[in-house]
Amino acid sequence: MTTVDGFAPAAPRRVAVLAFDGVVPFDFAVPCEVFSRASGPDGGPAYVVLACGTAPEVQSAGFGLSRLAPLAEAVEADTVVVPGVDDLDRPLPPVLLATLVDAHQRGARIASVCTGAFVLAAAGLLDGRRATTHWLAAAELARRHPRVEVDADVLYVDEGAVLTSAGAAAGIDLCLHLVRRDLGAAAAAAVARLSVMPLERAGGQAQFIVHPAPQESGALTPVLEWVGRHLERPHSVRSLARRAAMSERTFVRRFREQVGTTPARWIARARIARAQQLLETSALSVDEIAEAVGFGAASTLRDRFHDHLGTSPQAYRRAFREG
DNA sequence: AAAGCTACCCGCCAAT
DNA sequence: TGATTGGCGGGTAGCT
């Protein structure tokens, strides 16, 4: 599913980051940073980042963002990113919504950071789709937009053409995810390294990560944390169900509901994520890492690694080390 | 590299 | 009566 385009066209991809009165500066800066740091196979910039505003200058957290490009230019972009809004009751400029709809219809990817999901929802882009936003605002998003399937327990949601992310820092995870989709795992690892940022945070494919949420997120959380601490051990549905004090059938059902995937897949992702971490930060051999994260054999690790990240453990380590 | 085998996991349904 | 549970069957994904 991950597109690893080793023969990307020379033309850089165009990313438009939108600004408007009340835009959250951190959310705005994150996509600008991440995409402008990514480089293509030839070493040149992989993206052209364009800051587009509803006006040439907008107000943001007490200061102004100026010299913004017109919104109309965002329609031409391949990816449009909508940062968060400081106040959910702030009226959204109709032209902002119209621009998003237009860009979407032309095939652009639309992504939001934090409460930017409210803008996407207002434009109708989230209807019938899974989406996330800052956990404090998740209930409100669901209330205002009943047709949106809100998931407060993930860092981001990738629905293909429309992506949403949780609180500000999760915007970094989302942007790195997009870089990986576009350019492959090695390029994303290089950006992550520049930003001193783990490529993927604990738990695996981020849309499946259990949010270390302040609110309770179900009876499974302790079991998941325990598995995370004992990845090297063998795990089965039977043993986990027992630990959760449920029948196997109920355990699998709860798992689907609360985590969004199946136990085996989640564990595989967790193992891969841990392997990535070890490749980045340790000198252990691939064999040793395979054992440390609970894969029965190094070949299994290599297979799964390639399935999910489109690259090999060695190549991943090299890319990360060399940037 | 192929095959055999295990475990997963989801639809189905009877029993709370 | 509607919702939830958990046992079963078996196609299949993935491990050895």
Side-chain angles (χ1 to χ4, degrees), chain A residues 48-49 51 255 296:
Chain A
V48 170
V49 179
F255 207 98

Side-chain angles (χ1 to χ4, degrees), chain A residues 258-283:
Chain A
Q258 293 177 30
V259 186
T261 183
T262 66
R265 275 198 256 273
W266 184 87
I267 290 171
R269 280 306 311 200
R271 288 184 164 140
I272 291 168
R274 179 84 184 116
Q276 283 180 276
Q277 215 177 77
L278 291 174
L279 287 164
E280 292 165 12
T281 61
S282 82

Side-chain angles (χ1 to χ4, degrees), chain A residues 3-318:
Chain A
T3 308
V4 181
D5 191 354
F7 307 93
R13 294 168 166 79
R14 293 156 302 178
V15 177
V17 184
L18 305 192
F20 37 83
D21 285 328
V23 67
V24 176
F26 186 90
D27 299 354
F28 176 82
V30 160
C32 295
E33 277 289 305
V34 172
F35 288 109
S36 62
R37 284 172 190 267
S39 47
D42 58 354
Y47 299 91
V48 170
V49 179
L50 194 60
C52 300
T54 51
E57 171 161 348
V58 301
Q59 293 304 310
S60 171
F63 55 88
L65 295 172
S66 60
R67 295 177 58 199
L68 297 164
L71 266 191
E73 294 193 22
V75 176
E76 305 298 324
D78 305 296
T79 302
V80 178
V81 185
V82 182
V85 199
D86 62 354
D87 179 356
L88 295 182
D89 293 326
R90 182 188 287 277
L92 299 169
V95 63
L96 182 60
L97 306 182
T99 300
L100 286 175
V101 170
D102 202 359
H104 175 67
Q105 282 171 354
R106 293 194 190 207
R109 237 172 8 191
I110 315 290
S112 71
V113 178
C114 197
T115 49
F118 283 78
V119 183
L120 268 54
L125 298 181
L126 297 182
D127 287 346
R129 289 191 163 100
R130 288 179 64 223
T132 192
T133 185
H134 193 286
W135 62 272
L136 274 174
E140 180 64 10
L141 181 64
R143 193 186 65 76
R144 290 192 193 181
H145 303 281
R147 299 191 55 200
V148 180
E149 195 186 325
V150 179
D151 187 345
D153 292 334
V154 297
L155 288 176
Y156 60 84
V157 173
D158 179 353
E159 284 271 307
V162 180
L163 304 94
T164 49
S165 62
I172 303 179
D173 295 86
L174 174 60
C175 291
L176 288 173
H177 170 71
L178 286 171
V179 171
R180 182 171 49 232
R181 255 178 60 174
D182 291 340
L183 307 172
V191 177
R193 181 170 170 273
L194 278 176
S195 310
V196 196
M197 168 76 199
L199 183 53
E200 224 175 307
R201 288 198 258 168
Q205 176 113 8
Q207 56 263 55
F208 299 148
I209 289 181
V210 180
H211 204 286
Q215 84 261 48
E216 60 82 37
S217 62
L220 288 184
T221 310
V223 179
L224 297 180
E225 285 171 356
W226 182 84
V227 171
R229 287 196 305 274
H230 298 93
L231 273 183
E232 75 288 350
R233 299 176 47 153
H235 297 290
S236 66
V237 169
R238 170 172 306 216
S239 68
L240 297 185
R242 187 164 306 191
R243 178 162 282 274
M246 298 175 195
S247 73
E248 296 179 31
R249 188 69 187 82
T250 299
F251 177 76
V252 170
R253 260 201 287 257
R254 290 284 163 281
F255 207 98
R256 265 236 94 95
E257 292 164 8
Q258 293 177 30
V259 186
T261 183
T262 66
R265 275 198 256 273
W266 184 87
I267 290 171
R269 280 306 311 200
R271 288 184 164 140
I272 291 168
R274 179 84 184 116
Q276 283 180 276
Q277 215 177 77
L278 291 174
L279 287 164
E280 292 165 12
T281 61
S282 82
L284 296 175
S285 70
V286 174
D287 283 87
E288 288 166 332
I289 290 175
E291 191 182 346
V293 304
F295 283 115
S299 60
T300 307
L301 167 61
R302 275 186 267 269
D303 280 353
R304 318 258 75 216
F305 207 88
H306 191 270
D307 288 346
H308 288 273
L309 300 174
T311 187
S312 71
Q314 284 294 359
Y316 177 87
R317 170 176 270 167
R318 206 176 313 121

